[in-house]
Amino acid sequence: AADFDFWYAHGGIYAQAIESMCANFNAASLQDHVHCFPQGTYEQTLRKTVAAYRAGRQPALVEIYDIGSADMLLSGAVYPVDTLMQAMGHPIDASDYLKGIRRFYATENGRLLSQPFSASTLVLYANRQKLTAVGVDHLPQTWEAFEAAMEALHAHGKSCPAVSDYTPWKMLEQINAVQGAPIASANNGHEGLQARYEFADGVHRRFMNDVARWYSRGLLVPAIMTRANDQTLAFADGECAMSVDATGAYAIVKKAGLVDAEVGLLPVYAGTKRYGTTIGGSSLWVLKGQSASVYPAVARFLAYLHDPRQQLMFARRTGYLPLTHEAEEILTTAPDAEPDAIREGLASLELPNNDYNAGTRLGFTPLFRLIWQDEVQRALGGKETMDTALEHAQVRGNRLLERFQTTYIDAPRAEDGP
Amino acid sequence: MSAAAIRVQGLSKRFGSRVVMNDLDIDFAAGQFTVVLGPSGCGKSTLLRSIAGLEEADRGTVHIGGADVTRTPPQHRGCAMVFQNYALYPHMSVSDNIGYALKLAGLDRKERERRIGEAAELLGLGALLDRRPAQLSGGQRQRVAIGRAIARRQRVLLFDEPLSNLDAKLRQEMRIELRRLHDEIGATTIFVTHDQTEAMTLADHIVLLNNGLVEQAGTPMALYHQPRTTFVAGFIGTPPMNLLTARHEGHDIVVDGGGCFPAAIKANSSAAVMIGIRPEAIDLDDPRGMAAVVEAAEDLGSHRVIYARIGQQRVLVTYSGTRTYVRGETLRLSFSSQAICCFDAISGERIEPYSTRPASFLAEGCQP
Amino acid sequence: MSAAAIRVQGLSKRFGSRVVMNDLDIDFAAGQFTVVLGPSGCGKSTLLRSIAGLEEADRGTVHIGGADVTRTPPQHRGCAMVFQNYALYPHMSVSDNIGYALKLAGLDRKERERRIGEAAELLGLGALLDRRPAQLSGGQRQRVAIGRAIARRQRVLLFDEPLSNLDAKLRQEMRIELRRLHDEIGATTIFVTHDQTEAMTLADHIVLLNNGLVEQAGTPMALYHQPRTTFVAGFIGTPPMNLLTARHEGHDIVVDGGGCFPAAIKANSSAAVMIGIRPEAIDLDDPRGMAAVVEAAEDLGSHRVIYARIGQQRVLVTYSGTRTYVRGETLRLSFSSQAICCFDAISGERIEPYSTRPASFLAEGCQP
Amino acid sequence: MKSSARFHGHWIPLALGLPQLVLIALFFYWPTLKAFWWSLHLVCPFGNCSTFVGLGNYTRELTDSSFYAALRTTALFAAFGVSLSIAVALFLAAMVELHRRTGGLFRYLLIWPYAVAGSVLGVILKVAASPSIGPLGYLNTLWPGFWQPYLNGTQSMLMVVFAFAWTQIPFNFIVFVAALRAIPAEYLAAAAIDGADPVRRFIDIQLPMLKPQLFFVATINLIESFTNSFAIVDTMTQGGPGRATNILAYKIYTDGFIGLDLSGSSALSMMLMLLVFAACFVQFFVFERRARQEG
Amino acid sequence: MVERHPLLKTTTLILLVVGLVFALGPIYLALCSASVTSRQILVHGLALLPGSHLWENLRIVMRDARIGTMLFNSCVVSLIVVTGKLALASTSAFAVVYFRSRIRHVVFWGTFVTLLLPLEVRIVPTYAVASDLFEPLRRLIAAVTGLHLSVSINLLDSYAGLSLPLMASATGTFLFRQFYLTVPTELSEAARMDGAGPIRFFIDILLPLSKANFAALGTIVFLGTWKDYMWPLVATSRPDMRTISLGIATFLPTETGQPPEWNLVMAAALIALAPPLFVMGLTQRWFVRGVTGIGK
Ligand SMILES: Nc1ncnc2c1ncn2[C@@H]1O[C@H](COP(=O)(O)OP(=O)(O)OP(=O)(O)O)[C@@H](O)[C@H]1O
Ligand SMILES: Nc1ncnc2c1ncn2[C@@H]1O[C@H](COP(=O)(O)OP(=O)(O)OP(=O)(O)O)[C@@H](O)[C@H]1O
Ligand SMILES: [Mg+2]
Ligand SMILES: [Mg+2]
């Protein structure tokens, strides 16, 4: 019987969904009580977790985003979830999880050190009415078609053919995954600390140059230039006709109800092989340093969240993907409307994989994302060419990786135990 | 640099409910050295600043050299001014201070330097031209301030208590120097002060202000010997004139507390009057004089001051003899009736005697 | 409240490299009114504050009433002090100001009120006891400050230029009042000022300081008539003593610029001397007198001041006649040799004459 | 102050000063020491390991182009922000001084922005400067694509500079108004008599006399621009776009808290400290000189 | 001064009005936007004229419990800092100014160095210190006695943690020092002649004279604490410990797809700036005096 803190990193409808799960757990559980605290954005949550851990005030459970995984794994602050669950009598089987999710979170030897919590992937949304109006009857499958569609919309006076917030998750990680192209050596970092970035050539470079062209021609409008000031909303309220967005956006689009939204797979370049996209999202980490009585309660809470009914509730309310085969099964076979985005997303994840679309496992990724954004914004702002921008980003990113390697070169490895 | 007459007409000014100038009419003759004298707060500075254009009067006009300048801003009035605290620009050197006005007037560098040199020579500032005001002594600052005023060669020179920040010795020296300068330059000079010694020694003409009104205007000696009111009598002279309350009875004046003397003045019988007598005009030791008890005596070396009492009234007597008087001693005071001024006790205005019988001395009792 | 003698021995103090008191030895007699006089910055306040215990001397001792208090903190020295700017506690009423020290001394309320009442009565402050210092005029503040000092009934009363912030009239009144107070209370009083008139009129005894040294100590008249140095001569009197450079030749003294007179002093022949003569001791119109040219004349009503030149040397003459002199006129000055002080031109110290032939007047040429 | 006005004794001043000193030791000296220690080590974010690297972190930062970029941004931001704050405040103060009688109301109202927190202003301006819904967005209907503060580095810099100046002006304004007030009216009167019109009087008399205040305000503003601009940048631009507004203080924060690079950000802190220290030193020097001149 | 420059007067007046528009513009915009509906802003852009929904929006925002808590936190923290700083500053400045002991130099320099290095610069380590306040002492004990204690004090997410580091600055001491230096030295001398010791002098004379300075510094510190952003951002992780100036940013959408309700954001902004504006209006005189006091 114990009280413990759970820090999560969401606001809005996501937070509401989490709070209701917490409330339900507390209501259902006689002895345990979880205190759920929002900590702001993913970044803020990670920062506060680090700080709190140093101060010895860490919560028992915390939600950390995907790219924080490498930092968490080496932190020495983590009580691996599989060990915990094993010890507390709620063993989890990594193979319960969907392929894309398992591949992302599992270690080389297949262990799950954290419990996946929220996941989504990238799909293409399109405003069917607007596309039909300009004579585009099929969703673009390729970037070439995507560009043509944007041009058609532009030619018909649509001020916002497509919208994007230019985030690296969408433009770097997912694009390279779907094309099966490497972001970093050593299997995108899964093989160890010696990994270095190598995205500046190849498909990412091609794509970003296209993006720069689309941007300068007013085809791909930055979200901050839209009235809604937000990519998802700009599509949802009909301002923009197309949007490459997370599956999670679907709940918002549906809620807006304005748009006859059509969802399809992320485009690829014509004549290239399509691989599976990777996921984005977060997992739950159990932190060391709690009193022994807390961990059984944490385990019970994790088990509760793992329950397919909770997953489904969460997926339905937020548009996140179900995580386990069991939940997917229920969702896809349920008679009531199965969200298109989730279906397409799941399909996208199930596509064939190679070494490079299991996501990345690189240190200091949060800062790297800022660097990538910096450089791309500079390129879009005409301060440098896209090619040099990407090279700069790669160089600066590699300095981060080097430092990560030196920092952790003799850090204690994750041990099993609280 | 020709002098210009200044005429002030109906000038009035109030600050809030306080009337500082009350319908003043004053003429300042061209080329004259006029001292505006009065106690602190009587409106002297306000008058001077109104003439300079620094203060806007509520009513009335100012004419300089015949032209109405009431609405003219200070920079176009043709006045130069020396301020009480000098108001030297602290960030400029002495020569820049003097030359600033010339620069604004558009004079070229050479002409400016010539004029600065002239003023410096006149005031003995030659060696100081590169210093900052902070590096000067009080007297030197004073001279720079005057230099700044005269270098412009304006028709009118205004001084607002320029000597009050100097120590006694320097003040005495500067007085002589100022007077000499005025005689050389010949501008119309108005000099404001509350120090009657300065006024007495500097002025061709004194305008004595009190509460925003002209109490008396005239030559220094006129003010000293024929004060128009008790205020003037009590303001001028160190120590000032003794004022004793008395009654007019028949042809005599009876001093409260003892003594009387004959004086033919136009006043009702038994009217209350004040008699004024200068401390140096009193004889201490006249057997027929009125009794006065010594309260205190001060020996200043050059002369002595005795604080005595006639009844309840204090009398100061100065004399330069060597005899000493001690507290409690009784004096016998007398004075010539010609040295006496009579004032109406209520209005304080002077009552002219219609006949002065010469050589009539104060006596113990009056025998007509 | 019995008076106590104060003895200062070997008192020295320097601020940085500036010597402010240089081995001072002074006795202040019990119950006496001593004025410490000197120009600004000469160390008067430092001396006074050393006696009060506010300033720590570098060397030397202070005895009060026979006891060595050099290391005693101010509150235990039995001194009360009136500060130049009064230093009244601005947030306390007049009676609290006066009573604060009594409260700290542990007196009960009744005794305190009695003492405050007493002091108030003595100083005429009865009606002001509930006011704040900001609601008082300068003279009233002055009196409160004195009240605060005397209510404590200390053996020693110290005043640091208490009158310098008051206007001339008030200053004159306060002088009389202070002297009266001293006579009533009988405490040993030390009064610091740079105004020689105050010193002359108030003091039983004057200590004249200059540059941290005692220039002369004595009665006012001693300082006036027998100044020990040219500094004293030039510091005391308004206008001060005239100092003329001269040479000692044989038994005569020859004034630079004209005139000579016999004077028997102990000085080398042809030694440079200074002669000092008070402006009021000069006769203007002696046919045998030395020639002097009038530079300026001031009429003060009660007397006149003439600025004249003997050769290059300025001489001031005061007289109270009615005759006027104009610029450029030639005077014939003479004076009694008894009125003359001779000083060594280099050290400035007075040279005593070993014989004064009476009635020897200054003459155009000396005929021995 | 004269030493004679001071009390004797050691224990009382110690007791009086101690609480403050303890607090300062805890929250100033100890953190500063810690930062210095970190800056010489490579520390793990979670605090369970550290390697001594000597000046490695410093050389790392000093060879990183983004450090120089941040330095340049900081310098630009400081230069523009400080000059704008000072110029506008001076201008307003001069005009209020000119309208002494009616200026009271302006003086009262112009101080108000001082009560507004940087973050609140940031939020308001973020909306107000929005190219789609803000008033400036109307410019885009005239010249499409003209106002894009979140894409155009220059414009976003302008925006934060404006916001920074807005927060600083009231303080400067008060200081200037008070200083102008304190200039004896006699100087202006003397200048008027000397023939100077109001504009000349301002340039020749008032401005030179404001020099100490100008120095003071400039130093304060400079330190503020190094440090307190954080809230504005964080709420409005987060250092973007393309690190156009990534001032050093913000970089310290992002490197330390987002990048989990305690060592690097500590090294940056130490270097920023040096900068602030230099600024203060200049100020101190100037004040000392002024004090010596006056005394 | 007789000064007739109608053109100059009008021009400067116009410029002053322009300055006023810029100074109050953002506040006005916030007021306008807070008084319309969210839809209106999305459709017509930011309102330039006040609408009629102000109370409604304010009510909606106030119903959000966060605002109440944050306002309360801001008040508590500001008041703690004001009280603490006034107490510390007045006493430490007294120690600095009124004693001969060399200690005063220690206090002076020990305090004044903090002027040079603002909190923002040492934010990261200060955070670490606040999270483990006992560390220095623990280390000292360990170094001296070899004892390894496990005591620790964590100030994060507490009022003490929010306020204490803000108190550790020299501005207050500086201001009081400036003021004490203007108090005539004769007052302390007179008090000493009257038999008062330092503490009595401090209580009987100096404190009553410092009333205005307490008000001035109090206002400045209050506003400064209220406006502080970085420290609360770092030192709090629990939403119920957030202060309003920090919390205002949480009204901005953080998740993509969270519809921005600018009218509510602006209403919250209005609420956040109302108390300091009120305090400012109330104590403006003191505030001005304080600022100019610093400037001396
Ligand atoms: N700007 C002002 N506002 C209000 N009252 C003023 C102002 N200027 C002067 N006064 C008042 O007007 C009265 C006359 O002032 P003024 O300066 O003319 O006196 P003064 O005769 O020059 O005195 P002083 O010898 O002290 O200089 C004084 O009581 C003064 O307080
Ligand atoms: N605390 C101090 N530090 C340095 N110098 C001082 C200090 N106090 C006084 N002095 C200097 O010592 C000298 C003597 O000072 P003191 O105050 O005793 O002069 P004073 O004779 O009282 O002059 P005044 O008539 O101007 O009051 C002055 O030159 C003064 O500048
Ligand atoms: Mg005046
Ligand atoms: Mg003195």
Side-chain angles (χ1 to χ4, degrees), chain C residues 49 56 89 91 100-101 152, chain E residues 100 189 191 193-194 204 208-209:
Chain C
R49 296 158 56 83
E56 225 165 318
Y89 308 125
H91 58 293
Y100 184 59
R152 296 180 55 206
Chain E
R100 286 180 214 201
E189 293 176 348
M193 302 266 327
D194 278 350
D204 287 348
L209 288 181

Side-chain angles (χ1 to χ4, degrees), chain D residues 146-167:
Chain D
F146 171 76
W147 177 245
Q148 306 187 333
Y150 299 106
L151 300 172
N152 180 323
T154 316
Q155 288 178 354
S156 71
M157 184 57 134
L158 277 180
M159 205 167 62
V160 284
V161 163
F162 171 81
F164 173 74
W166 195 85
T167 59

Side-chain angles (χ1 to χ4, degrees), chain A residues 172-219:
Chain A
L172 172 59
E173 293 164 37
Q174 296 292 2
I175 299 297
N176 276 28
V178 81
Q179 298 284 2
I183 290 173
S185 60
N187 196 0
N188 274 359
H190 282 275
E191 282 166 12
L193 299 180
Q194 74 281 11
R196 295 294 181 269
Y197 287 108
E198 47 185 37
F199 57 77
D201 310 303
V203 70
H204 185 57
R205 178 171 173 166
R206 174 178 177 191
F207 180 70
M208 289 314 292
N209 276 305
D210 285 343
V211 164
R213 194 173 70 247
W214 297 337
Y215 164 79
S216 61
R217 289 173 54 199
L219 301 177

Side-chain angles (χ1 to χ4, degrees), chain D residues 70-294:
Chain D
L71 210 57
R72 231 191 87 232
T73 311
T74 310
L76 265 179
F77 177 77
F80 285 119
V82 172
S83 7
L84 187 65
S85 325
I86 290 182
V88 173
L90 193 61
F91 191 68
L92 290 175
M95 287 188 296
V96 164
E97 180 67 10
L98 206 60
H99 290 264
R100 266 205 184 191
R101 284 196 201 136
T102 48
L105 180 73
F106 289 104
R107 209 179 66 235
Y108 184 75
L109 291 176
L110 284 171
I111 301 179
W112 275 28
Y114 189 82
V116 179
S119 58
V120 174
L121 176 74
V123 168
I124 294 174
L125 283 191
K126 191 182 171 72
V127 182
S130 156
S132 49
I133 59 170
L136 284 174
Y138 292 122
L139 293 176
N140 287 342
T141 57
L142 301 178
W143 302 282
F146 171 76
W147 177 245
Q148 306 187 333
Y150 299 106
L151 300 172
N152 180 323
T154 316
Q155 288 178 354
S156 71
M157 184 57 134
L158 277 180
M159 205 167 62
V160 284
V161 163
F162 171 81
F164 173 74
W166 195 85
T167 59
Q168 297 300 305
I169 286 170
F171 179 88
N172 302 357
F173 173 74
I174 299 170
V175 171
F176 289 144
V177 166
L180 283 175
R181 279 283 150 102
I183 294 178
E186 300 291 79
Y187 289 132
L188 298 181
I193 296 259
D194 274 352
D197 57 31
V199 177
R200 285 233 67 122
R201 286 197 292 251
F202 182 74
I203 295 171
D204 290 343
I205 309 295
Q206 288 167 308
L207 203 54
M209 290 193 185
L210 284 184
K211 239 187 239 161
Q213 280 78 17
L214 282 170
F215 269 116
F216 168 73
V217 154
T219 323
I220 294 281
N221 286 179
L222 199 62
I223 296 175
E224 294 275 311
S225 77
F226 286 165
T227 57
N228 269 349
S229 41
F230 177 84
I232 291 170
V233 172
D234 191 41
T235 46
M236 288 179 77
T237 66
Q238 271 109 39
R243 62 181 191 255
T245 56
N246 193 16
I247 55 169
L248 217 44
Y250 199 74
K251 183 172 160 58
I252 289 176
Y253 170 82
T254 43
D255 284 6
F257 282 128
I258 297 178
L260 303 181
D261 179 10
L262 296 182
S263 309
S265 89
S266 293
L268 282 181
S269 288
M270 300 315 292
M271 289 191 271
L272 183 53
M273 278 181 188
L274 272 183
L275 264 181
V276 175
F277 193 85
C280 289
F281 186 77
V282 168
Q283 182 200 5
F284 191 75
F285 187 70
V286 168
F287 275 129
E288 272 300 275
R289 217 182 50 189
R290 173 158 71 107
R292 248 183 280 131
Q293 273 174 356
E294 280 175 358

Side-chain angles (χ1 to χ4, degrees), chain C residues 215-235:
Chain C
E215 196 79 25
Q216 183 167 5
T219 62
M221 282 311 110
L223 268 72
Y224 192 84
H225 295 294
Q226 288 106 40
R228 221 181 47 73
T229 62
T230 48
F231 176 82
V232 181
F235 195 79

Side-chain angles (χ1 to χ4, degrees), chain C residues 45 84 160-161:
Chain C
S45 296
Q84 174 166 0
D160 193 356
E161 311 205 15

